[in-house]
Amino acid sequence: MGIPANCRQLFQNLLSNSLKYRSLERPLVINISAKQVKGGGIDRILTADEKSNSYIQVSVSDNGIGFNQQEA
């Protein structure tokens, strides 16, 4: 379960960064998708109870200019 204000801020930041770091040479494309996954499909250490739960995995990507990995 997510905290609504935190989730809103997260999406605002992701979309803002997509707009800020877009390429001026091509149209901006932002992809947002979601799918239900079992806890065992999540990339972190979970308890046995958490592994049996279902979660919503949200993915956001864009075709922006990116950034230097040294600044990650």
Side-chain angles (χ1 to χ4, degrees):
M1 298 188 49
I3 299 169
N6 290 357
C7 290
R8 182 175 40 256
Q9 185 67 51
L10 171 66
F11 282 102
Q12 285 176 339
N13 289 349
L14 289 169
L15 294 173
S16 174
N17 285 346
S18 291
L19 293 169
K20 185 189 232 180
Y21 297 107
R22 71 186 186 278
S23 171
L24 299 177
E25 299 170 0
R26 61 183 179 272
L28 174 62
V29 177
I30 301 172
N31 295 305
I32 302 172
S33 62
K35 66 180 180 179
Q36 187 171 359
V37 296
K38 282 288 194 185
I42 296 176
D43 240 3
R44 70 178 186 90
I45 299 171
L46 300 173
T47 66
D49 287 340
E50 291 173 322
K51 286 182 182 178
S52 66
N53 291 339
S54 290
Y55 298 89
I56 302 298
Q57 176 181 332
V58 178
S59 299
V60 179
S61 65
D62 63 42
N63 66 338
I65 60 174
F67 56 90
N68 188 333
Q69 285 301 309
Q70 292 176 341
E71 298 174 14

